[in-house]
Coordinates of all heavy atoms in Angstrom, one line a residue:
I1 N 41.4 154.9 63.5 CA 41.7 156.3 63.8 C 40.8 156.8 64.9 O 39.6 156.6 64.8 CB 41.6 157.2 62.6 CG1 42.7 156.8 61.6 CG2 41.8 158.7 63.1 CD1 42.7 157.6 60.3
G2 N 41.3 157.2 66.0 CA 40.6 157.8 67.1 C 40.6 159.3 67.1 O 41.7 159.9 66.9
I3 N 39.4 160.0 67.1 CA 39.4 161.4 67.1 C 39.5 161.9 68.5 O 38.8 161.5 69.4 CB 38.1 161.9 66.5 CG1 37.9 161.3 65.0 CG2 38.0 163.4 66.5 CD1 36.6 161.6 64.4
E4 N 40.4 162.9 68.7 CA 40.6 163.5 70.0 C 39.3 164.1 70.5 O 38.6 164.8 69.8 CB 41.7 164.7 69.9 CG 42.1 165.2 71.2 CD 43.3 166.1 71.2 OE1 44.0 166.1 70.2 OE2 43.6 166.7 72.2
A5 N 39.0 163.9 71.7 CA 39.7 163.2 72.7 C 39.0 161.8 73.0 O 39.7 160.8 73.3 CB 39.9 164.0 74.0
R6 N 37.7 161.8 73.0 CA 37.1 160.6 73.5 C 37.2 159.4 72.5 O 37.0 158.3 72.9 CB 35.6 160.9 73.9 CG 35.6 161.7 75.2 CD 34.1 162.0 75.6 NE 33.5 162.9 74.7 CZ 33.4 164.2 74.7 NH1 34.1 164.8 75.7 NH2 32.8 164.9 73.9
G7 N 37.5 159.7 71.2 CA 37.8 158.6 70.3 C 39.0 157.8 70.7 O 39.1 156.6 70.4
F8 N 39.9 158.4 71.5 CA 41.1 157.7 72.0 C 40.7 156.6 73.0 O 41.5 155.7 73.2 CB 42.0 158.7 72.7 CG 42.6 159.7 71.9 CD1 43.4 160.7 72.5 CD2 42.4 159.8 70.5 CE1 44.1 161.7 71.7 CE2 43.1 160.8 69.8 CZ 43.9 161.7 70.4
I9 N 39.5 156.6 73.6 CA 39.1 155.6 74.5 C 38.7 154.3 73.7 O 39.0 153.2 74.2 CB 37.8 156.1 75.3 CG1 38.2 157.3 76.1 CG2 37.3 155.0 76.2 CD1 37.0 158.1 76.7
F10 N 38.1 154.5 72.6 CA 37.5 153.3 71.9 C 38.4 152.8 70.8 O 38.5 151.6 70.6 CB 36.1 153.7 71.3 CG 35.2 154.3 72.4 CD1 35.0 155.6 72.5 CD2 34.6 153.4 73.3 CE1 34.2 156.1 73.5 CE2 33.8 153.8 74.3 CZ 33.6 155.2 74.4
A11 N 39.1 153.7 70.1 CA 39.8 153.3 68.9 C 41.0 152.3 69.2 O 41.1 151.3 68.5 CB 40.3 154.5 68.1
P12 N 41.8 152.5 70.2 CA 42.9 151.5 70.5 C 42.3 150.2 70.8 O 42.9 149.2 70.4 CB 43.6 152.2 71.7 CG 43.3 153.6 71.6 CD 41.9 153.7 71.1
A13 N 41.3 150.1 71.6 CA 40.7 148.8 72.0 C 40.1 148.1 70.7 O 40.3 146.9 70.5 CB 39.6 148.9 73.0
M14 N 39.5 148.9 69.8 CA 39.0 148.3 68.6 C 40.2 147.8 67.7 O 40.1 146.7 67.2 CB 38.2 149.3 67.8 CG 36.9 149.7 68.4 SD 36.1 151.0 67.5 CE 35.8 150.2 65.9
A15 N 41.2 148.6 67.6 CA 42.4 148.2 66.8 C 43.0 146.9 67.3 O 43.3 146.1 66.6 CB 43.4 149.4 66.8
Y16 N 43.1 146.8 68.6 CA 43.7 145.6 69.2 C 42.9 144.4 68.8 O 43.4 143.4 68.4 CB 43.7 145.8 70.8 CG 44.1 144.5 71.5 CD1 45.5 144.2 71.6 CD2 43.2 143.7 72.1 CE1 45.9 143.1 72.2 CE2 43.6 142.6 72.7 CZ 44.9 142.2 72.8 OH 45.3 141.1 73.5
Q17 N 41.5 144.5 69.0 CA 40.7 143.4 68.7 C 40.6 143.0 67.2 O 40.4 141.9 66.8 CB 39.2 143.6 69.2 CG 39.1 143.4 70.7 CD 37.7 143.3 71.2 OE1 36.8 143.2 70.4 NE2 37.5 143.4 72.5
L18 N 40.8 144.1 66.3 CA 40.8 143.8 64.9 C 42.2 143.5 64.3 O 42.3 143.2 63.1 CB 40.3 145.1 64.2 CG 38.8 145.4 64.4 CD1 38.4 146.8 63.9 CD2 37.9 144.3 63.8
G19 N 43.2 143.5 65.1 CA 44.6 143.2 64.7 C 45.1 144.3 63.8 O 45.8 144.1 62.8
A20 N 44.7 145.6 64.1 CA 45.0 146.7 63.3 C 45.9 147.7 64.1 O 46.0 147.5 65.3 CB 43.7 147.5 62.8
G21 N 46.4 148.7 63.5 CA 47.1 149.7 64.2 C 46.2 150.8 64.6 O 45.0 150.9 64.2
F22 N 46.7 151.7 65.5 CA 45.9 152.8 66.0 C 46.6 154.1 65.6 O 47.8 154.2 65.7 CB 45.7 152.8 67.5 CG 45.3 154.1 68.1 CD1 44.0 154.6 67.9 CD2 46.2 154.8 68.9 CE1 43.7 155.8 68.5 CE2 45.8 156.1 69.5 CZ 44.6 156.6 69.2
V23 N 45.8 155.1 65.1 CA 46.3 156.4 64.8 C 45.5 157.5 65.5 O 44.2 157.4 65.3 CB 46.3 156.6 63.3 CG1 46.6 158.1 62.9 CG2 47.4 155.7 62.6
P24 N 46.1 158.4 66.2 CA 45.3 159.5 66.7 C 45.1 160.7 65.7 O 46.0 161.0 65.0 CB 46.1 160.0 67.9 CG 47.5 159.7 67.5 CD 47.4 158.4 66.7
A25 N 43.9 161.2 65.7 CA 43.7 162.5 65.0 C 43.6 163.6 66.1 O 42.7 163.5 66.9 CB 42.4 162.4 64.2
R26 N 44.5 164.5 66.1 CA 44.7 165.4 67.2 C 44.5 166.8 66.9 O 44.6 167.2 65.7 CB 46.1 165.2 67.8 CG 46.4 163.8 68.2 CD 47.0 163.6 69.5 NE 46.5 164.4 70.6 CZ 47.2 164.6 71.8 NH1 48.4 164.1 71.9 NH2 46.6 165.3 72.7
K27 N 44.3 167.7 67.9 CA 44.3 169.1 67.7 C 45.7 169.5 67.3 O 46.7 168.9 67.7 CB 43.9 169.8 69.0 CG 42.5 169.4 69.6 CD 41.4 169.9 68.7 CE 40.1 169.6 69.3 NZ 39.0 169.9 68.4
P28 N 45.8 170.7 66.6 CA 47.1 171.2 66.2 C 48.1 171.4 67.3 O 47.7 171.7 68.4 CB 46.8 172.5 65.5 CG 45.4 172.3 65.1 CD 44.7 171.5 66.1
G29 N 49.4 171.0 67.0 CA 50.4 171.2 68.0 C 50.7 170.1 68.9 O 51.5 170.2 69.8
K30 N 50.0 169.0 68.8 CA 50.1 167.9 69.8 C 51.0 166.8 69.2 O 51.4 165.9 70.0 CB 48.7 167.3 70.1 CG 47.7 168.3 70.7 CD 48.1 168.7 72.1 CE 47.0 169.6 72.7 NZ 47.3 169.9 74.1
L31 N 51.2 166.7 67.9 CA 52.0 165.6 67.4 C 53.4 166.1 67.0 O 53.5 167.2 66.5 CB 51.2 165.1 66.1 CG 49.9 164.4 66.4 CD1 49.2 164.1 65.1 CD2 50.1 163.1 67.2
P32 N 54.4 165.3 67.2 CA 55.8 165.7 67.1 C 56.4 165.7 65.8 O 57.4 166.4 65.5 CB 56.5 164.8 68.0 CG 55.8 163.5 67.9 CD 54.3 163.9 67.8
S33 N 55.8 165.0 64.8 CA 56.5 164.9 63.5 C 55.7 165.7 62.4 O 54.7 166.4 62.8 CB 56.6 163.4 63.1 OG 57.4 163.2 62.0
E34 N 56.1 165.6 61.2 CA 55.4 166.3 60.1 C 53.9 165.9 60.0 O 53.6 164.7 60.0 CB 56.1 166.1 58.8 CG 55.5 166.9 57.6 CD 56.2 166.6 56.3 OE1 57.3 165.9 56.3 OE2 55.7 167.1 55.3
C35 N 53.0 166.9 60.0 CA 51.6 166.6 60.0 C 50.9 167.1 58.8 O 51.3 168.1 58.2 CB 51.0 167.3 61.3 SG 51.5 166.6 62.8

């Protein structure tokens, strides 16, 4: 999980190397589905 905003820089690259998925933790109103 990458915390908005600078966590988004590191978390996806880590997830890729670990063979894991990436999930963003975002400020309210930025995600389109049920939160």
Side-chain angles (χ1 to χ4, degrees):
I1 295 176
I3 301 174
E4 188 167 346
R6 289 181 295 269
F8 293 177
I9 298 166
F10 305 102
M14 290 176 65
Y16 175 79
Q17 286 195 9
L18 292 169
F22 164 69
V23 168
R26 302 223 47 197
K27 300 289 184 189
K30 303 286 185 176
L31 295 171
S33 192
E34 186 180 350
C35 292

